Amino acid sequence: MRRFAYPLLFLSVFHQLLLNARLAAAGAVAVEYLYPNFTASSLLFIDTGGVFLASRNGVFQAAVYNPGAQQSRFYFSVLHATSGAAVWAANRAAPIPDRSGLVALTPLGLAVTSPSGSLLWSTPPLAAPAAALRLLDSGDLALLDARNASLWRSFDHPADALVSDQPLRAGANLTASASDTDFAEGDYRLAVTPADAALAWGGGGGSGWAQFWSLAGDVRSAKDRNAPVAYMAANASGLYLYAADARVVFELPLPPAPLRILRLGRDGALRISSYAALNASAALGGDFVAPSGPCDLPLACGPLGLCSGSSNASTCACPPLFVASHSGGCELAANGPRLLSSSNCTTDDSNLSYLGLRAGIEYFANKYAAPTTSGGDGPACRSRCSGNCTCLGYFYDNSSMSCYLLESRQLGSLFVSSSSDGSNPAGYIKTVQGSPSNANGRNSSPPSSTHFVAILLPSIASLLLVAMIAWMGIHWWRSQQKKQMRRSKPQAAAKEFQLRWQKSPAKNSDYLDSNIDDDESDDVFIPGLPTRFTFAELEAVTNNFQTKIGSGGFGAVYKGELPDKTLVAVKRIDAVGLQRKREFCTEMAVIGNIRHVNLVRLRGFCAQGARRLLVYEYMNRGSLDRSLFGSAGPALEWGERMEVAIGAARGLAYLHSGCDHKIVHCDVKPENILLADAGQVKIADFGLAKLMGPDQSGLFTTMRGTRGYLAPEWLTNAAISDRTDVYSFGMVLLELVRGRKNRTDCVTDGDSNDSSSGSWSGSGGGGEYFPMLALERHAERRYRELADPRLEGRVREEEVERVVKVALCCLHEEPALRPSMSAVAGMLDGTMGAAEPRVASLNFLRLYGRGFAGSASAIRAANDLFGGRGGAGNPTGSMTSTATTTSESPSHMSSQQVSGPR
Ligand SMILES: *[C@@H]1O[C@H](CO)[C@@H](O)[C@H](O)[C@H]1NC(C)=O
Ligand SMILES: *[C@@H]1O[C@H](CO)[C@@H](O)[C@H](O)[C@H]1NC(C)=O
Ligand SMILES: *[C@@H]1O[C@H](CO)[C@@H](O)[C@H](O)[C@H]1NC(C)=O
Ligand SMILES: *[C@@H]1O[C@H](CO)[C@@H](O)[C@H](O)[C@H]1NC(C)=O
Ligand SMILES: *[C@@H]1O[C@H](CO)[C@@H](O)[C@H](O)[C@H]1NC(C)=O
Ligand SMILES: *[C@@H]1O[C@H](CO)[C@@H](O)[C@H](O)[C@H]1NC(C)=O
Ligand SMILES: *[C@@H]1O[C@H](CO)[C@@H](O)[C@H](O)[C@H]1NC(C)=O
Ligand SMILES: *[C@@H]1O[C@H](CO)[C@@H](O)[C@H](O)[C@H]1NC(C)=O
């Protein structure tokens, strides 16, 4: 009853106001407060451009605003005064059609009416009569009651933008505007959920939303803790997702700026503009834009347009058989089959046909979307699409048997996948009344399964193979070292152990200087250099190197305390043949400027004479191998292991793609993952592979020290890339699951003085090569059995499954098939579904694990090279076969088996 009466009440009040409108003092802009009964229109405030209220600091204004100065859509808005940007709009769905429409403040609240007097928008019924309207310095527009308590505020009803310190609650959305001059709700939204903040494309028509970006999945963000997200807000130092207790869950650091305007653009991109002052008239350059790639937007190239390229250079084309459409995007040529939409749909199978897309063409949403079904075959996927009018096409991934139905109001853009080896899912677009799909001879039957002849070879042949691989490996290392010596040549850079995609100019001039012995000049100056200590200072800090807390491939590590009482770890690099000082300092500047919550921070360094020391933040729980493999103390609980996995993955993802210089770690292993109280997980020793001198056998030491984590490409002449780290990380993930080394021989590592790291600590000393066991249990879907027996079942089976699947994907022999580190992080934290491992690219594990059984020396050779344990020994000795219940419903599986970037 009240609901019905309410607009009528408003209207009767407005009729009186309309009569009085002419009497209102036109043009005088109120400051901070307005009181009932007040009316404003664009006409009444034509001198101020519709502005009728300003905040006390003058930064924000309330106005009757017509974006783009068109004359048919006026909105009750809040503007940023100096830039003129609209940060809020009330009547998005119902604009005022001309200058005389009114915005009115009465005791009933705020209302917008058309010139004819019909109600276009109003605040909901208020709990008490409104006594004032206040525009706060923050940009919040609030209705206050007689006691100044807030009755309603615009910050609770955001449109397409947020300003600094404006919270967006979990469950709330920003919705993009239809265009720059029409604030009607468009097809994109930014939604904050208890887990994340995500961009999605969809809109009306009742069909689904396709997610195409999420903050948690963006490598530029970092997760600080595990807690449900309560709200999102930007402030002067970045964008944050907060828990209900106002502590940070996710952070996205941004360059400091007193004012930010975060806007969901009409193209679907989220842009954060920063202003150097509250009253700055233009934003600083360098907006944060998400998603970062131009091809990642749903309509990057219009419907069915094919986007290719990366960063800021992208091009649009049409896929084969398609022609450019006059309305943007691509369409089928006029005389061929015709596309279907959900409006002119038919489910009559005899009429439908599917147009196959060329291999390597992917759909924008498949990067993030979960497959609609998993486990069925291609024809099942097709018939699912045929039977549903909302389905406009589908992608089917042979290797993971994942089926992605394309459902939205229309089809979005396609993009050229970066891995063009035909391993991508095959795409089909639904058409009608055309010839059957025949595009480009795509072979829709599964490729004939690869035969791994080597498995069938007698062990003698295997032995030969191993010897050959070993010889190749050594040969490659030798040639590599020669290349290192000629590192000033640009082509040598391609295989440097730490790969740099960008070289700073300082670096290049450095090469030119290389004849000058700058070792004794202490005045090397490189911008951004971290604190430089003298050797004497570090002697004092470490109390004359008294407390040794570890040793790694580069030298011993000592505990120290800086004069300000902060604890540090001082690493003394004892290797000879180091780089010259300038080169070293360049590296320090790079490493010292890398800040991420999951990366150990370099506090300073010392380069004095031949001495090289690094000063790191102190991590009180030491490296992961101690907690994970150590027999002292309780086993690391499953929850902690998940935190370690996610944190380490995020740290590596940042090294690979989050910072200016792409850094391949090259030595990912539990010894280089450090833990501290409060669940801190940090990657150590990144950027150091570069410090090794060219003439150093140290590289070989490193290699020996990390066998077990070495990707196959180390042994072939294939390029070392970030995917090499992904492989090593996959090994670490399996060790996290099992709680012991994958490489189970007890040979003391030359570089590891930590006696616990090489030893067994799980129950039982035998067992198969664990990665192979993981592969077998994966095939049987018996994941629980893989978990560390010491946990006695205190694991979450779905998480074990997820970690094992991700780990196996990381181990794919073909580097291009391994997910990127950011995808790994996303899959681990559940923001992306776990991809389905491709067994064909994992059979080499069987080769290493089983193929050498029966030849002790071959086992040893294999161990040395691959960290594998031969098949000898009791395969079940260490298994506590816990009862498993892996009966998964298809719906459960589909949420688990999402395919990440391929
Ligand atoms: C505003 O207008 C309404 C309706 O005419 C009237 O009842 C009310 O007293 C007015 N309030 C003020 C503060 O003038
Ligand atoms: C409400 O705020 C205004 C402006 O600050 C002030 O003048 C007024 O006294 C306040 N009223 C109450 C009841 O606090
Ligand atoms: C945000 O969008 C979702 C999905 O459409 C919807 O269920 C939810 O109600 C929206 N929230 C708000 C506050 O509009
Ligand atoms: C922004 O918020 C974060 C998280 O609450 C906080 O650590 C930081 O100090 C804030 N920045 C400023 C400038 O207030
Ligand atoms: C911004 O404010 C400062 C002082 O408050 C003033 O000096 C400056 O001129 C203002 N800038 C603009 C663009 O209004
Ligand atoms: C990409 O952007 C950078 C700076 O943002 C610019 O220097 C470069 O020229 C751009 N490249 C292309 C191809 O537009
Ligand atoms: C179905 O509708 C779409 C757009 O609404 C149109 O492009 C297409 O040609 C139609 N198909 C048929 C078979 O009529
Ligand atoms: C078609 O697909 C939509 C979205 O997945 C689903 O909600 C609907 O039930 C399906 N309709 C039929 C007939 O299967």
Side-chain angles (χ1 to χ4, degrees):
M1 190 61 213
R2 164 146 200 190
R3 230 165 235 249
F4 175 70
Y6 178 69
L8 292 181
L9 202 55
F10 248 123
L11 285 179
S12 71
V13 173
F14 292 140
H15 275 295
Q16 294 178 29
L17 287 176
L18 271 171
L19 298 175
N20 297 339
R22 234 166 288 156
L23 305 175
V29 176
V31 174
E32 194 170 2
Y33 289 100
L34 275 176
Y35 303 96
N37 296 316
F38 171 85
T39 56
S41 72
S42 176
L43 203 55
L44 284 170
F45 288 84
I46 200 152
D47 293 343
T48 58
V51 173
F52 57 87
L53 175 65
S55 62
R56 182 150 296 280
N57 63 3
V59 173
F60 295 100
Q61 297 171 332
V64 186
Y65 173 63
N66 51 332
Q70 41 73 33
Q71 298 300 319
S72 56
R73 286 184 298 274
F74 291 78
Y75 299 92
F76 172 26
S77 306
V78 172
L79 309 176
H80 176 237
T82 40
S83 69
V87 296
W88 180 74
N91 50 322
R92 297 180 74 183
I96 309 172
D98 74 26
R99 288 198 177 270
S100 54
L102 288 183
V103 173
L105 170 65
T106 72
L108 290 172
L110 285 162
V112 176
T113 53
S114 71
S116 63
S118 58
L119 185 61
L120 298 173
W121 176 87
S122 71
T123 49
L126 303 175
L133 176 70
R134 182 181 183 198
L135 181 56
L136 287 84
D137 285 350
S138 60
D140 193 5
L141 194 65
L143 280 172
L144 306 178
D145 68 9
R147 302 219 298 276
N148 282 351
S150 167
L151 295 166
W152 172 94
R153 50 196 291 223
S154 64
F155 268 16
D156 288 340
H157 306 275
D160 65 345
L162 297 175
V163 295
S164 293
D165 300 319
Q166 175 177 1
L168 183 65
R169 282 171 299 105
N173 309 316
L174 291 187
T175 313
S177 291
S179 81
D180 289 344
T181 59
D182 182 355
F183 289 167
E185 296 194 345
D187 291 341
Y188 303 96
R189 72 154 197 240
L190 170 72
V192 178
T193 67
D196 206 348
L199 293 175
W201 181 55
S207 53
W209 289 80
Q211 182 179 322
F212 59 94
W213 176 83
S214 90
L215 183 67
D218 193 305
V219 292
R220 294 168 289 185
S221 77
K223 186 171 191 176
D224 283 8
R225 56 195 280 261
N226 250 1
V229 172
Y231 63 97
M232 177 178 95
N235 71 7
S237 36
L239 176 70
Y240 301 87
L241 296 184
Y242 296 93
D245 61 3
R247 287 171 62 199
V248 173
V249 180
F250 281 97
E251 62 174 309
L252 174 74
L254 296 169
L259 175 70
R260 297 188 201 284
I261 297 178
L262 184 149
R263 185 182 307 277
L264 179 56
R266 61 191 161 80
D267 57 352
L270 176 69
R271 288 186 180 78
I272 306 180
S273 313
S274 302
Y275 293 79
L278 290 178
N279 64 354
S281 54
L284 298 162
D287 287 2
F288 171 88
V289 184
S292 52
C295 292
D296 296 340
L297 290 171
L299 290 176
C301 286
L304 293 171
L306 181 60
C307 185
S308 58
S310 57
S311 68
N312 51 1
S314 70
T315 53
C316 289
C318 283
L321 299 187
F322 284 78
V323 295
S325 152
H326 60 273
S327 54
C330 302
E331 61 188 8
L332 283 170
N335 50 357
R338 307 186 60 193
L339 291 178
L340 281 163
S341 74
S342 19
S343 53
N344 54 16
C345 148
T346 169
T347 53
D348 178 4
D349 244 353
S350 59
N351 240 343
L352 291 179
S353 64
Y354 285 87
L355 189 69
L357 296 170
R358 175 163 59 78
I361 294 183
E362 269 268 47
Y363 191 59
F364 83 95
N366 292 357
K367 272 191 189 173
Y368 279 92
T372 317
T373 57
S374 275
D377 58 8
C381 185
R382 172 171 297 196
S383 71
R384 244 191 125 81
C385 186
S386 302
N388 197 328
C389 270
T390 65
C391 178
L392 304 178
Y394 71 94
F395 274 77
Y396 182 75
D397 184 347
N398 245 330
S399 63
S400 66
M401 303 204 293
S402 300
C403 171
Y404 301 81
L405 301 187
L406 310 186
E407 305 178 291
S408 194
R409 282 188 312 168
Q410 58 174 343
L411 291 169
S413 292
L414 304 161
F415 68 93
V416 180
S417 166
S418 48
S419 66
S420 52
D421 54 1
S423 62
N424 300 289
Y428 300 91
I429 304 296
K430 205 191 241 181
T431 59
V432 72
Q433 287 170 356
S435 51
S437 79
N438 60 345
N440 298 309
R442 169 196 272 291
N443 182 5
S444 56
S445 69
S448 61
S449 57
T450 319
H451 292 289
F452 283 79
V453 183
I455 296 175
L456 307 173
L457 287 178
S459 59
I460 290 176
S462 310
L463 206 92
L464 281 173
L465 185 66
V466 166
M468 200 178 78
I469 292 172
W471 180 84
M472 277 165 53
I474 291 165
H475 188 77
W476 180 75
W477 276 102
R478 292 249 167 87
S479 71
Q480 204 51 42
Q481 289 180 15
K482 279 182 196 146
K483 280 185 195 165
Q484 287 262 308
M485 288 162 80
R486 304 188 308 257
R487 60 192 311 165
S488 59
K489 293 193 177 171
Q491 63 267 37
K495 282 201 182 172
E496 278 173 4
F497 291 95
Q498 177 195 7
L499 304 181
R500 291 283 168 73
W501 266 228
Q502 301 176 11
K503 286 194 189 290
S504 60
K507 184 91 214 162
N508 295 330
S509 62
D510 184 13
Y511 288 141
L512 300 178
D513 288 356
S514 59
N515 293 331
I516 306 162
D517 183 2
D518 60 3
D519 235 20
E520 292 315 310
S521 67
D522 269 341
D523 52 346
V524 175
F525 176 76
I526 289 157
L529 217 49
T531 313
R532 190 159 181 175
F533 295 91
T534 64
F535 187 71
E537 277 168 341
L538 290 185
E539 272 182 326
V541 161
T542 57
N543 204 359
N544 215 357
F545 300 103
Q546 202 173 37
T547 320
K548 184 167 167 179
I549 52 176
S551 61
F554 300 92
V557 184
Y558 301 88
K559 186 172 175 178
E561 189 180 304
L562 293 180
D564 69 359
K565 302 283 175 222
T566 40
L567 292 177
V568 288
V570 178
K571 183 183 283 269
R572 220 180 145 157
I573 299 187
D574 47 18
V576 287
L578 281 165
Q579 291 167 310
R580 247 177 301 280
K581 189 173 291 174
R582 176 181 287 273
E583 228 171 328
F584 180 80
C585 289
T586 309
E587 294 312 313
M588 291 302 103
V590 171
I591 301 172
N593 281 312
I594 296 174
R595 306 265 166 87
H596 187 270
V597 68
N598 296 119
L599 295 174
V600 174
R601 182 158 161 224
L602 182 70
R603 300 289 306 258
F605 70 102
C606 165
Q608 199 176 349
R611 291 181 172 124
R612 302 283 184 270
L613 294 94
L614 307 177
V615 181
Y616 286 107
E617 67 179 308
Y618 180 71
M619 299 287 286
N620 66 341
R621 287 174 61 196
S623 54
L624 172 64
D625 55 314
R626 289 188 200 174
S627 309
L628 188 60
F629 310 132
S631 40
L636 210 53
E637 284 300 324
W638 180 253
E640 293 176 275
R641 296 186 197 205
M642 284 303 290
E643 290 296 298
V644 169
I646 294 168
R650 287 173 170 278
L652 285 171
Y654 188 80
L655 284 180
H656 289 176
S657 46
C659 43
D660 288 348
H661 300 271
K662 179 167 187 164
I663 291 178
V664 178
H665 190 296
C666 293
D667 201 8
V668 176
K669 55 181 175 177
E671 289 80 353
N672 280 334
I673 298 172
L674 303 187
L675 310 179
D677 287 344
Q680 293 185 70
V681 180
K682 304 197 185 208
I683 301 281
D685 271 9
F686 53 89
L688 293 193
K690 184 98 190 214
L691 294 181
M692 302 304 286
D695 226 0
Q696 226 171 334
S697 57
L699 283 171
F700 214 83
T701 316
T702 310
M703 180 187 175
R704 261 182 40 212
T706 56
R707 68 194 164 179
Y709 305 93
L710 282 180
E713 62 262 29
W714 282 104
L715 303 167
T716 63
N717 226 354
I720 302 303
S721 72
D722 54 349
R723 303 300 150 110
T724 311
D725 283 351
V726 173
Y727 180 95
S728 310
F729 187 72
M731 286 294 179
V732 174
L733 282 180
L734 289 180
E735 295 183 338
L736 274 167
V737 170
R738 191 48 162 176
R740 67 171 198 225
K741 288 262 178 203
N742 292 329
R743 182 175 60 80
T744 50
D745 54 3
C746 295
V747 179
T748 321
D749 290 0
D751 63 332
S752 169
N753 297 344
D754 183 351
S755 59
S756 68
S757 69
S759 67
W760 281 87
S761 43
S763 59
E768 291 185 62
Y769 181 42
F770 186 64
M772 191 185 90
L773 188 68
L775 182 59
E776 285 171 357
R777 291 294 177 271
H778 162 70
E780 300 158 17
R781 305 210 156 266
R782 288 156 61 194
Y783 299 102
R784 202 184 188 91
E785 294 170 24
L786 293 170
D788 191 341
R790 290 176 297 166
L791 293 175
E792 292 166 336
R794 293 188 307 278
V795 297
R796 298 178 57 182
E797 180 159 3
E798 70 275 13
E799 286 181 349
V800 177
E801 172 177 347
R802 180 146 36 112
V803 175
V804 169
K805 281 184 180 173
V806 173
L808 290 175
C809 289
C810 293
L811 297 185
H812 286 151
E813 185 174 18
E814 174 57 44
L817 293 185
R818 296 173 203 151
S820 72
M821 217 52 227
S822 43
V824 169
M827 291 190 278
L828 287 174
D829 67 22
T831 52
M832 284 165 70
E836 198 60 26
R838 291 156 193 257
V839 172
S841 192
L842 289 165
N843 282 329
F844 75 106
L845 290 175
R846 294 185 208 279
L847 175 67
Y848 300 158
R850 185 191 281 153
F852 307 112
S855 164
S857 58
I859 291 168
R860 181 148 299 278
N863 280 342
D864 283 354
L865 282 166
F866 305 109
R869 179 171 178 83
N874 171 9
T876 53
S878 62
M879 302 294 303
T880 21
S881 294
T882 325
T884 55
T885 45
T886 41
S887 56
E888 287 161 320
S889 67
S891 67
H892 170 63
M893 285 173 53
S894 67
S895 72
Q896 294 290 329
Q897 301 173 335
V898 183
S899 121
R902 287 155 282 255

